[in-house]
Amino acid sequence: MTDMQPARTCLAIVLAAGEGTRMKSARPKVLHEMAGRSLLGHTLAAVTAAGADAIAVVVGPDRPDVEAEVRKHAPHAAVFVQSERRGTAHAVLAARESLTAGHGDVLVAFADTPLVRPETFAVLRNAVRDGAAVAALGFEARDPTGYGRLVTRDGELQAIVEHKDADEATRAVTLCNAGLMALDGVQALSILEAIGHANAQNEYYLTDAVAVARHKGLRAVARVAPEAEVQGVNDRAQLAAAEADFQRRKRLAVMMAGATLVAPETVFFSHDTVVGRDVVIEPNVVFGPGVRIADNAVIHAFSHLEGASVGPGASIGPYARLRPGAELAKGARVGNFVEIKAAAIGEGAKVNHLTYIGDAEIGARANIGAGTITCNYDGFSKAKTIIGEGAFIGSNSALVAPVRIGAGAYVGSGSVITRDVQPDALAVARGRQIEREGWAAAFRAAARARKAAQ
Ligand code: UD1
Ligand code: MG
């Protein structure tokens, strides 16, 4: 027998019941997006990364949209409805059923605070493991107005006092409550149940967990995070501020991992953008969700990528648009004013100018001429265009799908291709050129004579 203890499991309770009236939106606040993912999605990802074994989300009444978002990011999470808004402790107790499941740590997070790093959740959990019944997260606020204040003495947390309940001396404290908290799983329920509502807002305050724990002779401690990390989103300006901080963080991470950003402040990433080493990203590039860029690729200026994968050494733009399902193999080149959707572009293939490629497979080393269009949609359904290796599509061709161009085939410029082309064949589908010698001179002479006679 070893003396190993069973691992402490962790329950994360995410409060997402806010209606967010200051957003002036038909959408609930926590469904607004930062870096291509909802605020709620960010919080769920962070608590998952922090090692939560179980997640409980507390939502407001009649919010199937918020519930659906929970399912999307945390399929196994339990969803509880807080039918009346009676304070943060009341909200946590809506998840009572999860609280009685015997978890070692309980983390409480707000779904409108999307920048908290998993490491910070871990710091709170560690404080609880080290013997505190309650660990609260504080930050030094530039403007503490409105926040709860952390009252500490000799490194111990004495109480959290809400702004509305604080006297002058307490309002002078600048260490504010971020809202995140970790509680010891054994004590959590009895602490929360002992919280009353005799305060300025007649609410059950989660922050009172500190005073209750101390009253029971248990320890409470504070941990501190930078203000930028714990900033909350209450209106669109704060949403933009959170986005800006997220982008700053992501740009730095991408550069530290070995990519060059020529003008980092003009590049916008999604939460999940993956960028390899020795990638160069020129100014004014926007990444939607689901993009992977392999090593040595170059993304030229003013390109927009979403749901796309760019192979090693491939080159995009300037002014290119990669839409979901665009998959570029090694060394592929997609040039200016080219749109690619749901299409695999083979190794070393070139699609360099003014082209739309949708629902297609393009073989290795194929060359797609300027102005080529895959006509993939007839107003009802989509059809596929398959172009073989080394094929050459002349400029300004329309490929009417479903259609196959065999490997090594040529398509003459300006063709409208409606039938399959055999490998190594030439297909020309355009009006045959006619020429009448001297026609123009004769036309002009006749026209001048007519005009002079008038
Ligand atoms: C809370 C803290 C305060 C802290 C501040 C940080 C309490 C009592 N106060 O104040 O110390 O400085 O956050 O931003 O905890 N919620 C519910 N149900 C409720 C009430 C709130 O789900 O009945 C949720 C909200 O949706 C939100 C979070 O809890 O996600 C915080 O509620 P909010 O009303 O914003 O609390 P604050 O007054 O800002
Ligand atoms: Mg708030």
Side-chain angles (χ1 to χ4, degrees), residues 5-54:
Q5 294 177 356
R8 285 172 73 119
T9 59
C10 174
L11 164 70
I13 300 179
V14 175
L15 303 191
E19 50 294 12
T21 45
R22 281 163 60 195
M23 295 298 278
K24 309 263 167 61
S25 174
R27 245 200 291 179
K29 175 168 76 176
V30 298
L31 297 191
H32 282 261
E33 291 189 350
M34 179 182 82
R37 177 163 69 184
S38 67
L39 302 179
L40 176 58
H42 281 279
T43 306
L44 291 171
V47 297
T48 303
D53 301 282

mmCIF file of all heavy atoms in Angstrom, residues 5-54:
data_model
loop_
_atom_site.group_PDB
_atom_site.id
_atom_site.type_symbol
_atom_site.label_atom_id
_atom_site.label_comp_id
_atom_site.label_asym_id
_atom_site.label_seq_id
_atom_site.Cartn_x
_atom_site.Cartn_y
_atom_site.Cartn_z
ATOM 1 N N GLN A 5 -3.121 9.714 -1.685
ATOM 2 C CA GLN A 5 -4.524 10.049 -1.424
ATOM 3 C C GLN A 5 -5.281 10.055 -2.737
ATOM 4 O O GLN A 5 -4.701 10.325 -3.777
ATOM 5 C CB GLN A 5 -4.621 11.445 -0.805
ATOM 6 C CG GLN A 5 -4.001 11.525 0.567
ATOM 7 C CD GLN A 5 -4.055 12.939 1.109
ATOM 8 O OE1 GLN A 5 -4.478 13.861 0.430
ATOM 9 N NE2 GLN A 5 -3.624 13.090 2.336
ATOM 10 N N PRO A 6 -6.579 9.753 -2.675
ATOM 11 C CA PRO A 6 -7.350 9.859 -3.914
ATOM 12 C C PRO A 6 -7.300 11.316 -4.400
ATOM 13 O O PRO A 6 -7.281 12.245 -3.595
ATOM 14 C CB PRO A 6 -8.766 9.464 -3.504
ATOM 15 C CG PRO A 6 -8.812 9.565 -2.018
ATOM 16 C CD PRO A 6 -7.406 9.381 -1.527
ATOM 17 N N ALA A 7 -7.239 11.506 -5.727
ATOM 18 C CA ALA A 7 -7.174 12.869 -6.269
ATOM 19 C C ALA A 7 -8.421 13.653 -5.867
ATOM 20 O O ALA A 7 -9.525 13.112 -5.859
ATOM 21 C CB ALA A 7 -7.072 12.791 -7.782
ATOM 22 N N ARG A 8 -8.220 14.907 -5.508
ATOM 23 C CA ARG A 8 -9.370 15.772 -5.204
ATOM 24 C C ARG A 8 -10.005 16.177 -6.512
ATOM 25 O O ARG A 8 -9.328 16.683 -7.392
ATOM 26 C CB ARG A 8 -8.884 17.056 -4.515
ATOM 27 C CG ARG A 8 -8.480 16.908 -3.082
ATOM 28 C CD ARG A 8 -7.855 18.208 -2.628
ATOM 29 N NE ARG A 8 -8.851 19.249 -2.447
ATOM 30 C CZ ARG A 8 -9.069 19.836 -1.266
ATOM 31 N NH1 ARG A 8 -8.368 19.491 -0.218
ATOM 32 N NH2 ARG A 8 -9.968 20.776 -1.156
ATOM 33 N N THR A 9 -11.280 15.971 -6.619
ATOM 34 C CA THR A 9 -11.952 16.408 -7.840
ATOM 35 C C THR A 9 -12.409 17.847 -7.683
ATOM 36 O O THR A 9 -12.525 18.359 -6.567
ATOM 37 C CB THR A 9 -13.152 15.510 -8.165
ATOM 38 O OG1 THR A 9 -14.051 15.567 -7.064
ATOM 39 C CG2 THR A 9 -12.705 14.088 -8.433
ATOM 40 N N CYS A 10 -12.635 18.472 -8.793
ATOM 41 C CA CYS A 10 -12.969 19.897 -8.779
ATOM 42 C C CYS A 10 -14.287 20.151 -9.509
ATOM 43 O O CYS A 10 -14.490 19.693 -10.630
ATOM 44 C CB CYS A 10 -11.847 20.675 -9.464
ATOM 45 S SG CYS A 10 -12.211 22.426 -9.666
ATOM 46 N N LEU A 11 -15.163 20.868 -8.842
ATOM 47 C CA LEU A 11 -16.426 21.312 -9.449
ATOM 48 C C LEU A 11 -16.297 22.792 -9.771
ATOM 49 O O LEU A 11 -15.919 23.583 -8.902
ATOM 50 C CB LEU A 11 -17.583 21.103 -8.456
ATOM 51 C CG LEU A 11 -18.889 21.844 -8.776
ATOM 52 C CD1 LEU A 11 -19.573 21.240 -10.002
ATOM 53 C CD2 LEU A 11 -19.844 21.805 -7.573
ATOM 54 N N ALA A 12 -16.577 23.161 -11.004
ATOM 55 C CA ALA A 12 -16.604 24.590 -11.352
ATOM 56 C C ALA A 12 -18.052 25.019 -11.532
ATOM 57 O O ALA A 12 -18.810 24.373 -12.255
ATOM 58 C CB ALA A 12 -15.825 24.842 -12.635
ATOM 59 N N ILE A 13 -18.419 26.088 -10.828
ATOM 60 C CA ILE A 13 -19.770 26.635 -10.987
ATOM 61 C C ILE A 13 -19.645 27.953 -11.741
ATOM 62 O O ILE A 13 -18.955 28.870 -11.301
ATOM 63 C CB ILE A 13 -20.446 26.846 -9.623
ATOM 64 C CG1 ILE A 13 -20.539 25.497 -8.889
ATOM 65 C CG2 ILE A 13 -21.829 27.470 -9.790
ATOM 66 C CD1 ILE A 13 -21.179 25.583 -7.518
ATOM 67 N N VAL A 14 -20.263 28.010 -12.898
ATOM 68 C CA VAL A 14 -20.157 29.206 -13.741
ATOM 69 C C VAL A 14 -21.490 29.958 -13.689
ATOM 70 O O VAL A 14 -22.541 29.399 -14.024
ATOM 71 C CB VAL A 14 -19.816 28.811 -15.198
ATOM 72 C CG1 VAL A 14 -19.828 30.041 -16.101
ATOM 73 C CG2 VAL A 14 -18.460 28.113 -15.254
ATOM 74 N N LEU A 15 -21.433 31.211 -13.235
ATOM 75 C CA LEU A 15 -22.666 32.008 -13.147
ATOM 76 C C LEU A 15 -22.898 32.738 -14.464
ATOM 77 O O LEU A 15 -22.085 33.552 -14.892
ATOM 78 C CB LEU A 15 -22.574 33.014 -12.001
ATOM 79 C CG LEU A 15 -22.292 32.432 -10.608
ATOM 80 C CD1 LEU A 15 -22.486 33.496 -9.527
ATOM 81 C CD2 LEU A 15 -23.169 31.220 -10.312
ATOM 82 N N ALA A 16 -24.010 32.409 -15.094
ATOM 83 C CA ALA A 16 -24.285 32.978 -16.420
ATOM 84 C C ALA A 16 -25.713 33.513 -16.490
ATOM 85 O O ALA A 16 -26.340 33.542 -17.539
ATOM 86 C CB ALA A 16 -24.067 31.917 -17.489
ATOM 87 N N ALA A 17 -26.204 33.949 -15.327
ATOM 88 C CA ALA A 17 -27.614 34.345 -15.277
ATOM 89 C C ALA A 17 -27.835 35.829 -15.539
ATOM 90 O O ALA A 17 -28.967 36.293 -15.532
ATOM 91 C CB ALA A 17 -28.208 33.970 -13.925
ATOM 92 N N GLY A 18 -26.746 36.560 -15.795
ATOM 93 C CA GLY A 18 -26.924 38.003 -15.977
ATOM 94 C C GLY A 18 -27.697 38.338 -17.232
ATOM 95 O O GLY A 18 -27.508 37.728 -18.267
ATOM 96 N N GLU A 19 -28.576 39.327 -17.139
ATOM 97 C CA GLU A 19 -29.311 39.659 -18.368
ATOM 98 C C GLU A 19 -28.543 40.641 -19.237
ATOM 99 O O GLU A 19 -28.746 40.710 -20.444
ATOM 100 C CB GLU A 19 -30.743 40.117 -18.113
ATOM 101 C CG GLU A 19 -31.070 41.117 -17.174
ATOM 102 C CD GLU A 19 -30.950 41.136 -15.696
ATOM 103 O OE1 GLU A 19 -30.325 40.313 -15.022
ATOM 104 O OE2 GLU A 19 -31.521 42.116 -15.228
ATOM 105 N N GLY A 20 -27.609 41.384 -18.609
ATOM 106 C CA GLY A 20 -26.726 42.242 -19.396
ATOM 107 C C GLY A 20 -27.431 43.366 -20.118
ATOM 108 O O GLY A 20 -27.208 43.610 -21.301
ATOM 109 N N THR A 21 -28.292 44.072 -19.415
ATOM 110 C CA THR A 21 -29.089 45.132 -20.046
ATOM 111 C C THR A 21 -28.236 46.222 -20.683
ATOM 112 O O THR A 21 -28.654 46.813 -21.668
ATOM 113 C CB THR A 21 -30.041 45.783 -19.023
ATOM 114 O OG1 THR A 21 -29.295 46.019 -17.830
ATOM 115 C CG2 THR A 21 -31.199 44.880 -18.695
ATOM 116 N N ARG A 22 -27.039 46.447 -20.117
ATOM 117 C CA ARG A 22 -26.214 47.531 -20.666
ATOM 118 C C ARG A 22 -25.635 47.208 -22.035
ATOM 119 O O ARG A 22 -25.103 48.082 -22.707
ATOM 120 C CB ARG A 22 -25.092 47.895 -19.681
ATOM 121 C CG ARG A 22 -25.600 48.787 -18.542
ATOM 122 C CD ARG A 22 -24.646 48.810 -17.369
ATOM 123 N NE ARG A 22 -23.341 49.300 -17.732
ATOM 124 C CZ ARG A 22 -22.241 49.156 -16.979
ATOM 125 N NH1 ARG A 22 -22.327 48.526 -15.817
ATOM 126 N NH2 ARG A 22 -21.091 49.629 -17.383
ATOM 127 N N MET A 23 -25.749 45.953 -22.466
ATOM 128 C CA MET A 23 -25.299 45.618 -23.817
ATOM 129 C C MET A 23 -26.286 46.165 -24.851
ATOM 130 O O MET A 23 -25.964 46.241 -26.036
ATOM 131 C CB MET A 23 -25.188 44.102 -23.991
ATOM 132 C CG MET A 23 -24.143 43.428 -23.131
ATOM 133 S SD MET A 23 -22.466 43.961 -23.434
ATOM 134 C CE MET A 23 -22.020 42.994 -24.865
ATOM 135 N N LYS A 24 -27.505 46.501 -24.430
ATOM 136 C CA LYS A 24 -28.571 46.967 -25.359
ATOM 137 C C LYS A 24 -28.682 45.993 -26.530
ATOM 138 O O LYS A 24 -28.497 46.369 -27.697
ATOM 139 C CB LYS A 24 -28.254 48.372 -25.886
ATOM 140 C CG LYS A 24 -27.927 49.391 -24.806
ATOM 141 C CD LYS A 24 -29.155 50.226 -24.462
ATOM 142 C CE LYS A 24 -29.015 51.039 -23.193
ATOM 143 N NZ LYS A 24 -27.962 52.023 -23.193
ATOM 144 N N SER A 25 -28.971 44.758 -26.191
ATOM 145 C CA SER A 25 -28.907 43.701 -27.200
ATOM 146 C C SER A 25 -30.051 42.722 -27.036
ATOM 147 O O SER A 25 -30.530 42.495 -25.922
ATOM 148 C CB SER A 25 -27.582 42.944 -27.039
ATOM 149 O OG SER A 25 -27.534 41.834 -27.897
ATOM 150 N N ALA A 26 -30.486 42.126 -28.125
ATOM 151 C CA ALA A 26 -31.480 41.056 -28.055
ATOM 152 C C ALA A 26 -30.825 39.765 -27.566
ATOM 153 O O ALA A 26 -31.496 38.842 -27.131
ATOM 154 C CB ALA A 26 -32.101 40.835 -29.435
ATOM 155 N N ARG A 27 -29.507 39.727 -27.655
ATOM 156 C CA ARG A 27 -28.757 38.530 -27.251
ATOM 157 C C ARG A 27 -28.351 38.646 -25.799
ATOM 158 O O ARG A 27 -27.945 39.725 -25.366
ATOM 159 C CB ARG A 27 -27.473 38.461 -28.078
ATOM 160 C CG ARG A 27 -27.413 37.286 -28.999
ATOM 161 C CD ARG A 27 -25.998 36.989 -29.417
ATOM 162 N NE ARG A 27 -25.426 37.991 -30.299
ATOM 163 C CZ ARG A 27 -24.182 37.915 -30.763
ATOM 164 N NH1 ARG A 27 -23.406 36.916 -30.421
ATOM 165 N NH2 ARG A 27 -23.710 38.853 -31.555
ATOM 166 N N PRO A 28 -28.388 37.553 -25.036
ATOM 167 C CA PRO A 28 -27.870 37.637 -23.668
ATOM 168 C C PRO A 28 -26.375 37.970 -23.683
ATOM 169 O O PRO A 28 -25.664 37.556 -24.599
ATOM 170 C CB PRO A 28 -28.108 36.253 -23.077
ATOM 171 C CG PRO A 28 -28.608 35.398 -24.157
ATOM 172 C CD PRO A 28 -28.938 36.232 -25.345
ATOM 173 N N LYS A 29 -25.952 38.713 -22.669
ATOM 174 C CA LYS A 29 -24.568 39.195 -22.635
ATOM 175 C C LYS A 29 -23.533 38.090 -22.836
ATOM 176 O O LYS A 29 -22.576 38.250 -23.602
ATOM 177 C CB LYS A 29 -24.321 39.914 -21.300
ATOM 178 C CG LYS A 29 -22.894 40.340 -21.105
ATOM 179 C CD LYS A 29 -22.741 41.288 -19.944
ATOM 180 C CE LYS A 29 -22.816 40.602 -18.611
ATOM 181 N NZ LYS A 29 -22.571 41.549 -17.497
ATOM 182 N N VAL A 30 -23.728 36.969 -22.140
ATOM 183 C CA VAL A 30 -22.687 35.930 -22.160
ATOM 184 C C VAL A 30 -22.570 35.228 -23.510
ATOM 185 O O VAL A 30 -21.654 34.445 -23.726
ATOM 186 C CB VAL A 30 -22.875 34.881 -21.031
ATOM 187 C CG1 VAL A 30 -22.773 35.564 -19.680
ATOM 188 C CG2 VAL A 30 -24.196 34.130 -21.182
ATOM 189 N N LEU A 31 -23.497 35.516 -24.430
ATOM 190 C CA LEU A 31 -23.381 34.934 -25.779
ATOM 191 C C LEU A 31 -22.682 35.878 -26.753
ATOM 192 O O LEU A 31 -22.431 35.518 -27.910
ATOM 193 C CB LEU A 31 -24.753 34.538 -26.323
ATOM 194 C CG LEU A 31 -25.494 33.459 -25.536
ATOM 195 C CD1 LEU A 31 -26.701 32.957 -26.320
ATOM 196 C CD2 LEU A 31 -24.588 32.285 -25.188
ATOM 197 N N HIS A 32 -22.386 37.081 -26.317
ATOM 198 C CA HIS A 32 -21.597 37.969 -27.184
ATOM 199 C C HIS A 32 -20.194 37.396 -27.325
ATOM 200 O O HIS A 32 -19.712 36.706 -26.431
ATOM 201 C CB HIS A 32 -21.571 39.392 -26.613
ATOM 202 C CG HIS A 32 -22.853 40.114 -26.903
ATOM 203 N ND1 HIS A 32 -22.986 40.997 -27.947
ATOM 204 C CD2 HIS A 32 -24.072 40.038 -26.307
ATOM 205 C CE1 HIS A 32 -24.231 41.442 -27.969
ATOM 206 N NE2 HIS A 32 -24.916 40.878 -26.993
ATOM 207 N N GLU A 33 -19.557 37.699 -28.452
ATOM 208 C CA GLU A 33 -18.294 37.032 -28.760
ATOM 209 C C GLU A 33 -17.056 37.892 -28.588
ATOM 210 O O GLU A 33 -17.076 39.088 -28.857
ATOM 211 C CB GLU A 33 -18.335 36.510 -30.202
ATOM 212 C CG GLU A 33 -19.308 35.364 -30.340
ATOM 213 C CD GLU A 33 -19.239 34.673 -31.674
ATOM 214 O OE1 GLU A 33 -18.572 35.187 -32.586
ATOM 215 O OE2 GLU A 33 -19.871 33.606 -31.795
ATOM 216 N N MET A 34 -16.007 37.235 -28.156
ATOM 217 C CA MET A 34 -14.670 37.814 -28.120
ATOM 218 C C MET A 34 -13.765 36.827 -28.864
ATOM 219 O O MET A 34 -13.784 35.632 -28.561
ATOM 220 C CB MET A 34 -14.222 37.948 -26.664
ATOM 221 C CG MET A 34 -12.833 38.517 -26.498
ATOM 222 S SD MET A 34 -12.342 38.583 -24.760
ATOM 223 C CE MET A 34 -11.790 36.907 -24.511
ATOM 224 N N ALA A 35 -13.013 37.332 -29.835
ATOM 225 C CA ALA A 35 -12.106 36.475 -30.615
ATOM 226 C C ALA A 35 -12.803 35.222 -31.149
ATOM 227 O O ALA A 35 -12.270 34.119 -31.089
ATOM 228 C CB ALA A 35 -10.879 36.105 -29.791
ATOM 229 N N GLY A 36 -14.011 35.412 -31.647
ATOM 230 C CA GLY A 36 -14.702 34.311 -32.312
ATOM 231 C C GLY A 36 -15.309 33.264 -31.407
ATOM 232 O O GLY A 36 -15.685 32.187 -31.876
ATOM 233 N N ARG A 37 -15.403 33.546 -30.117
ATOM 234 C CA ARG A 37 -16.035 32.591 -29.204
ATOM 235 C C ARG A 37 -16.823 33.377 -28.169
ATOM 236 O O ARG A 37 -16.408 34.456 -27.756
ATOM 237 C CB ARG A 37 -14.968 31.724 -28.537
ATOM 238 C CG ARG A 37 -15.502 30.744 -27.529
ATOM 239 C CD ARG A 37 -14.491 29.652 -27.213
ATOM 240 N NE ARG A 37 -13.351 30.166 -26.485
ATOM 241 C CZ ARG A 37 -12.288 29.431 -26.158
ATOM 242 N NH1 ARG A 37 -12.217 28.168 -26.491
ATOM 243 N NH2 ARG A 37 -11.299 29.960 -25.494
ATOM 244 N N SER A 38 -17.954 32.814 -27.732
ATOM 245 C CA SER A 38 -18.787 33.536 -26.769
ATOM 246 C C SER A 38 -18.047 33.727 -25.448
ATOM 247 O O SER A 38 -17.139 32.964 -25.101
ATOM 248 C CB SER A 38 -20.090 32.763 -26.512
ATOM 249 O OG SER A 38 -19.802 31.546 -25.853
ATOM 250 N N LEU A 39 -18.455 34.745 -24.700
ATOM 251 C CA LEU A 39 -17.862 34.978 -23.379
ATOM 252 C C LEU A 39 -18.034 33.724 -22.526
ATOM 253 O O LEU A 39 -17.104 33.288 -21.840
ATOM 254 C CB LEU A 39 -18.542 36.179 -22.709
ATOM 255 C CG LEU A 39 -18.471 37.508 -23.484
ATOM 256 C CD1 LEU A 39 -19.209 38.601 -22.712
ATOM 257 C CD2 LEU A 39 -17.029 37.913 -23.740
ATOM 258 N N LEU A 40 -19.219 33.129 -22.603
ATOM 259 C CA LEU A 40 -19.476 31.898 -21.850
ATOM 260 C C LEU A 40 -18.523 30.786 -22.305
ATOM 261 O O LEU A 40 -17.966 30.054 -21.476
ATOM 262 C CB LEU A 40 -20.940 31.475 -22.058
ATOM 263 C CG LEU A 40 -21.396 30.161 -21.437
ATOM 264 C CD1 LEU A 40 -21.183 30.152 -19.924
ATOM 265 C CD2 LEU A 40 -22.875 29.893 -21.760
ATOM 266 N N GLY A 41 -18.314 30.669 -23.598
ATOM 267 C CA GLY A 41 -17.405 29.660 -24.147
ATOM 268 C C GLY A 41 -15.989 29.836 -23.612
ATOM 269 O O GLY A 41 -15.306 28.857 -23.288
ATOM 270 N N HIS A 42 -15.540 31.085 -23.507
ATOM 271 C CA HIS A 42 -14.204 31.337 -22.963
ATOM 272 C C HIS A 42 -14.106 30.857 -21.516
ATOM 273 O O HIS A 42 -13.127 30.217 -21.126
ATOM 274 C CB HIS A 42 -13.872 32.838 -23.022
ATOM 275 C CG HIS A 42 -13.439 33.295 -24.377
ATOM 276 N ND1 HIS A 42 -12.159 33.131 -24.834
ATOM 277 C CD2 HIS A 42 -14.123 33.897 -25.381
ATOM 278 C CE1 HIS A 42 -12.068 33.619 -26.074
ATOM 279 N NE2 HIS A 42 -13.251 34.088 -26.426
ATOM 280 N N THR A 43 -15.114 31.191 -20.724
ATOM 281 C CA THR A 43 -15.072 30.801 -19.312
ATOM 282 C C THR A 43 -15.113 29.282 -19.167
ATOM 283 O O THR A 43 -14.365 28.701 -18.374
ATOM 284 C CB THR A 43 -16.237 31.457 -18.541
ATOM 285 O OG1 THR A 43 -16.176 32.863 -18.761
ATOM 286 C CG2 THR A 43 -16.150 31.178 -17.054
ATOM 287 N N LEU A 44 -15.968 28.634 -19.962
ATOM 288 C CA LEU A 44 -16.056 27.166 -19.886
ATOM 289 C C LEU A 44 -14.726 26.522 -20.298
ATOM 290 O O LEU A 44 -14.274 25.558 -19.683
ATOM 291 C CB LEU A 44 -17.202 26.648 -20.760
ATOM 292 C CG LEU A 44 -18.604 27.014 -20.253
ATOM 293 C CD1 LEU A 44 -19.667 26.660 -21.291
ATOM 294 C CD2 LEU A 44 -18.908 26.313 -18.925
ATOM 295 N N ALA A 45 -14.080 27.089 -21.313
ATOM 296 C CA ALA A 45 -12.783 26.553 -21.741
ATOM 297 C C ALA A 45 -11.736 26.742 -20.643
ATOM 298 O O ALA A 45 -10.926 25.845 -20.387
ATOM 299 C CB ALA A 45 -12.333 27.240 -23.024
ATOM 300 N N ALA A 46 -11.776 27.887 -19.979
ATOM 301 C CA ALA A 46 -10.769 28.166 -18.941
ATOM 302 C C ALA A 46 -10.944 27.231 -17.744
ATOM 303 O O ALA A 46 -9.963 26.695 -17.225
ATOM 304 C CB ALA A 46 -10.837 29.626 -18.503
ATOM 305 N N VAL A 47 -12.175 27.025 -17.299
ATOM 306 C CA VAL A 47 -12.351 26.145 -16.131
ATOM 307 C C VAL A 47 -12.047 24.687 -16.502
ATOM 308 O O VAL A 47 -11.526 23.932 -15.687
ATOM 309 C CB VAL A 47 -13.744 26.273 -15.446
ATOM 310 C CG1 VAL A 47 -13.942 27.675 -14.898
ATOM 311 C CG2 VAL A 47 -14.881 25.859 -16.351
ATOM 312 N N THR A 48 -12.320 24.329 -17.748
ATOM 313 C CA THR A 48 -11.973 22.975 -18.199
ATOM 314 C C THR A 48 -10.456 22.811 -18.194
ATOM 315 O O THR A 48 -9.925 21.826 -17.677
ATOM 316 C CB THR A 48 -12.546 22.715 -19.612
ATOM 317 O OG1 THR A 48 -13.959 22.916 -19.562
ATOM 318 C CG2 THR A 48 -12.248 21.297 -20.077
ATOM 319 N N ALA A 49 -9.751 23.815 -18.742
ATOM 320 C CA ALA A 49 -8.286 23.752 -18.781
ATOM 321 C C ALA A 49 -7.687 23.786 -17.376
ATOM 322 O O ALA A 49 -6.589 23.284 -17.151
ATOM 323 C CB ALA A 49 -7.741 24.911 -19.613
ATOM 324 N N ALA A 50 -8.417 24.383 -16.426
ATOM 325 C CA ALA A 50 -7.924 24.443 -15.055
ATOM 326 C C ALA A 50 -8.157 23.120 -14.325
ATOM 327 O O ALA A 50 -7.856 23.000 -13.142
ATOM 328 C CB ALA A 50 -8.596 25.589 -14.303
ATOM 329 N N GLY A 51 -8.731 22.152 -15.017
ATOM 330 C CA GLY A 51 -8.867 20.820 -14.435
ATOM 331 C C GLY A 51 -10.204 20.534 -13.764
ATOM 332 O O GLY A 51 -10.304 19.615 -12.951
ATOM 333 N N ALA A 52 -11.236 21.300 -14.110
ATOM 334 C CA ALA A 52 -12.553 21.019 -13.524
ATOM 335 C C ALA A 52 -13.013 19.631 -13.971
ATOM 336 O O ALA A 52 -12.987 19.311 -15.157
ATOM 337 C CB ALA A 52 -13.558 22.076 -13.957
ATOM 338 N N ASP A 53 -13.402 18.812 -13.011
ATOM 339 C CA ASP A 53 -13.894 17.474 -13.349
ATOM 340 C C ASP A 53 -15.384 17.507 -13.644
ATOM 341 O O ASP A 53 -15.905 16.668 -14.365
ATOM 342 C CB ASP A 53 -13.642 16.516 -12.179
ATOM 343 C CG ASP A 53 -12.163 16.436 -11.851
ATOM 344 O OD1 ASP A 53 -11.449 15.742 -12.585
ATOM 345 O OD2 ASP A 53 -11.718 17.099 -10.885
ATOM 346 N N ALA A 54 -16.048 18.476 -13.040
ATOM 347 C CA ALA A 54 -17.482 18.640 -13.281
ATOM 348 C C ALA A 54 -17.761 20.122 -13.402
ATOM 349 O O ALA A 54 -17.096 20.937 -12.771
ATOM 350 C CB ALA A 54 -18.289 18.045 -12.127
#
